[in-house]
Amino acid sequence: MALTPDDLTDDLPLQRSPGPTWQDKLDEDVNKIPEYLRTESPYLNGFEDIPKDRYLSREFHELEKERLWSRVWQFACREEHLPEVGSYIVYDIADQSYLVARVAEDEIKAYPNACLHRGRMLKTYDGRCSEFRCPFHGFAWTLDGDIKHIPAEWDFPHLEVRSEEMMLPEVRVGTWAGFVFINPDPNAEPLEDFLGPEVIKHFERWNLQDRYVAAHASKIIRCNWKIANESFCEGFHVNATHPQGMSYTGDPQSQIDVYGNVARQLSPKGIPCPLLPYTPTEEEMLRDALDVREGEDLPVPFEEGDTLRGVLSAAGRERFRPTFGDGVDQMGDSEFLDAWVYVVHPNFQPWGAFNRIVYRFRPNGDDHETCIFEMMYVAPFSGDRPPPAEVVHLGVDDPWTDATGLEKLAMVAEQDTFNMEQVQRGLKNLRREGVTLSRYQESTIRWKHDLLTDYINRGPVQL
Amino acid sequence: MSPEPSSGGIKHGFSGAVYAKCGENRVKVVGRDGTTGIFDGIGQWIEGELYDVDPQMCVWVSAERIATSHRLSKQD
Ligand code: FES
Ligand SMILES: [Fe+2]
């Protein structure tokens, strides 16, 4: 029966892709994942378009500065980036800059990056120090933020009576799974409440705090940060953007769950995309998954009766055994091969299980038409903690494949990046007010915009 | 048609055309009906009787091919 506009409510039954689901594949796996990792929590909230101004207008960027970046928990660095007392990093977001420093063995603090004398940035690059001393006139602060030194103090009698004004103001800091977050809003909810109990529980078994940054690359892209971010918030694009991946990635069968400020998308491997006009064999799927081309041999043993899920999960389990230990035997097959994409509002994607992938998307300084997209691997290690990888900085026209530490994922990112700038340009030509979203497969994008709307509607931050 | 592919091809799931790198920034595409075309790394037509192409497949095939797969690589 044909739909009428009145049918377009959230009561309209939710349709899912034809073909087996991620849950069906989990039932077939030899090593299962626990039930709490399988909970379903879909997100439906209408069918409205997303206004294109959100990506194009300067005014919206200004609103994001005033009402989003000034009050949201945001990933600043890994704890390992602050290994010693006195280690600090400079975290920049839009036109704001913060100093994030380890001030004691077990304490991290963050401060707006400005000298309280005449405003110079205190630090412009990461490092280690025993005090924060401004390079302009030499005012200095202890790591804890107390004023330590005023050169020619006799000339600042007013600061003697107003000494409390000379404490570096603090910005909220929280840590989770080895990630350090800051929040400039003094009235923000605690980080744990922001992340929520489900997501915290999901990540407990993967010990991301006991990992290290094994690769890290950053690239400037000519698009609004949300365009880059949203490229990784749905699997629907695989059929056109990653055509080589269709035979083995069941992206339309992904499961999408929303838990407050965090969403996740679980994309099963070993299910062909149902849009394909033929059914690939397990061996064909495995060949494509490993980018084995015509005339080349599979790099792993494959026998009659083997499946992609069986072969890749076994390979994954053995690959992580030396570093993660025999705990790998308690893990499900899915944790070694499916894409466990967690999306933390507004701009952070720490993938779950053993994907190792971490993405972050930020405006490129105060420019709303370019952004910084970072990719990292956080990998298990054994023995002493290795130092985190140096960041490979890629310019707008450098290919991701220049960052070889990203392995084949760099080739995948080339395809995603190929779209981003063209979306930014295309939106300027679009003769519609907004972009339209599929109901389920792109629901994470709707959820992101709904949260963004909530932040904007709350008005400016009360300091 | 010259030049010859410099790596094994990949068959496109929808069209059945085979894409193979043939030198720097060049991709040779052989359609299911045997027609061929040479395209650059973002799918711009260079020569041949085949015109329809999937630019994303050209991006994939022409990219510097990194041997270590994030699905298999050893941790060390
Ligand atoms: S098909 Fe999605 S942007 Fe064109
Ligand atoms: Fe993608």
Side-chain angles (χ1 to χ4, degrees), chain A residues 297-433:
Chain A
D297 293 328
L298 264 175
V300 288
F302 185 90
E303 284 161 24
E304 185 75 34
D306 282 348
T307 61
L308 172 145
R309 292 185 74 80
V311 170
L312 281 189
S313 60
R317 193 168 272 113
E318 291 322 309
R319 156 185 160 199
F320 289 106
R321 189 183 300 280
T323 48
F324 198 79
D326 290 338
V328 292
D329 293 325
Q330 266 69 62
M331 299 284 164
D333 296 340
S334 166
E335 292 171 283
F336 295 105
L337 64 115
D338 294 329
W340 291 69
V341 188
Y342 282 75
V343 182
V344 179
H345 171 70
N347 67 333
F348 175 46
Q349 295 193 3
W351 289 32
F354 289 89
N355 290 140
R356 299 175 294 149
I357 298 169
V358 174
Y359 295 146
R360 172 168 61 178
F361 310 86
R362 286 177 289 171
N364 179 25
D366 202 14
D367 181 7
H368 66 289
E369 296 208 283
T370 61
C371 69
I372 306 169
F373 167 25
E374 284 165 276
M375 306 215 289
M376 291 175 213
Y377 279 136
V378 291
F381 59 89
S382 52
D384 291 341
R385 172 178 280 283
E390 294 280 332
V391 188
V392 178
H393 291 279
L394 301 169
V396 259
D397 295 314
D398 298 330
W400 283 106
T401 47
D402 283 357
T404 49
L406 297 176
E407 304 172 344
K408 264 192 208 302
L409 188 66
M411 295 166 64
V412 181
E414 274 303 290
Q415 294 178 306
D416 293 304
T417 305
F418 184 54
N419 295 329
M420 294 172 188
E421 182 178 339
Q422 310 313 329
V423 172
Q424 184 77 20
R425 295 181 63 197
L427 282 175
K428 294 182 180 175
N429 313 325
L430 182 65
R431 300 299 198 263
R432 299 183 77 226
E433 285 310 306

Side-chain angles (χ1 to χ4, degrees), chain A residues 234 236-237 240 423 436 442:
Chain A
E234 45 90 3
F236 178 41
H237 68 282
V423 172
T436 201
E442 293 174 304

Side-chain angles (χ1 to χ4, degrees), chain A residues 18-170:
Chain A
T21 63
W22 179 63
Q23 298 276 351
D24 294 334
K25 280 289 157 188
L26 295 177
D27 289 338
E28 292 166 14
D29 284 346
V30 179
N31 302 285
K32 314 273 191 220
I33 58 170
E35 282 304 313
Y36 71 84
L37 284 177
R38 295 180 62 160
T39 54
E40 292 196 56
S41 182
Y43 184 82
L44 296 179
N45 191 17
F47 300 84
E48 292 295 309
D49 288 352
I50 306 297
K52 64 182 175 189
D53 281 358
R54 291 195 157 200
Y55 307 97
L56 300 178
S57 87
R58 184 70 201 174
E59 291 69 39
F60 199 78
H61 173 75
E62 295 296 336
L63 282 175
E64 287 177 348
K65 280 159 54 180
E66 183 182 74
R67 302 175 184 200
L68 174 71
W69 302 119
S70 56
R71 69 153 56 99
V72 75
W73 283 106
Q74 49 207 282
F75 163 49
C77 64
R78 292 271 303 166
E79 284 191 63
E80 68 203 270
H81 288 124
L82 305 172
E84 312 290 343
V85 174
S87 299
Y88 65 88
I89 63 111
V90 175
Y91 168 68
D92 295 331
I93 184 72
D95 63 356
Q96 296 294 298
S97 180
Y98 300 92
L99 272 180
V100 185
R102 186 173 295 280
V103 301
E105 211 60 12
D106 55 0
E107 191 178 13
I108 295 170
K109 283 190 175 181
Y111 309 104
N113 189 0
C115 173
L116 299 179
H117 173 221
R118 284 193 21 220
R120 189 198 192 280
M121 300 237 303
L122 284 169
K123 298 286 182 194
T124 43
Y125 42 77
D126 307 347
R128 186 177 166 183
C129 61
S130 56
E131 59 179 15
F132 299 118
R133 182 172 292 262
C134 180
F136 195 175
H137 305 92
F139 274 55
W141 285 265
T142 65
L143 295 178
D144 255 328
D146 292 326
I147 184 76
K148 180 177 172 190
H149 179 63
I150 300 180
E153 205 168 1
W154 53 267
D155 211 9
F156 292 93
H158 48 297
L159 291 186
E160 200 179 320
V161 294
R162 294 177 3 216
S163 61
E164 72 290 348
E165 287 175 26
M166 284 291 112
M167 290 267 295
L168 288 178
E170 280 184 37

Side-chain angles (χ1 to χ4, degrees), chain B:
Chain B
M1 174 179 293
S2 63
E4 281 316 301
S6 48
S7 83
I10 302 181
K11 188 184 277 186
H12 196 292
F14 290 151
S15 69
V18 175
Y19 288 63
K21 184 171 182 147
C22 59
E24 195 50 35
N25 199 33
R26 288 292 179 273
V27 178
K28 181 171 185 172
V29 185
V30 182
R32 216 200 303 253
D33 64 359
T35 53
T36 61
I38 305 287
F39 299 86
D40 76 0
I42 57 168
Q44 299 192 84
W45 180 86
I46 306 288
E47 61 174 288
E49 65 276 33
L50 186 71
Y51 294 92
D52 277 315
V53 74
D54 181 338
Q56 287 284 16
M57 199 70 154
C58 293
V59 170
W60 178 259
V61 166
S62 68
E64 184 188 337
R65 197 169 172 205
I66 297 182
T68 32
S69 172
H70 55 293
R71 301 188 202 291
L72 274 188
S73 68
K74 295 274 179 294
Q75 291 298 303
D76 44 29

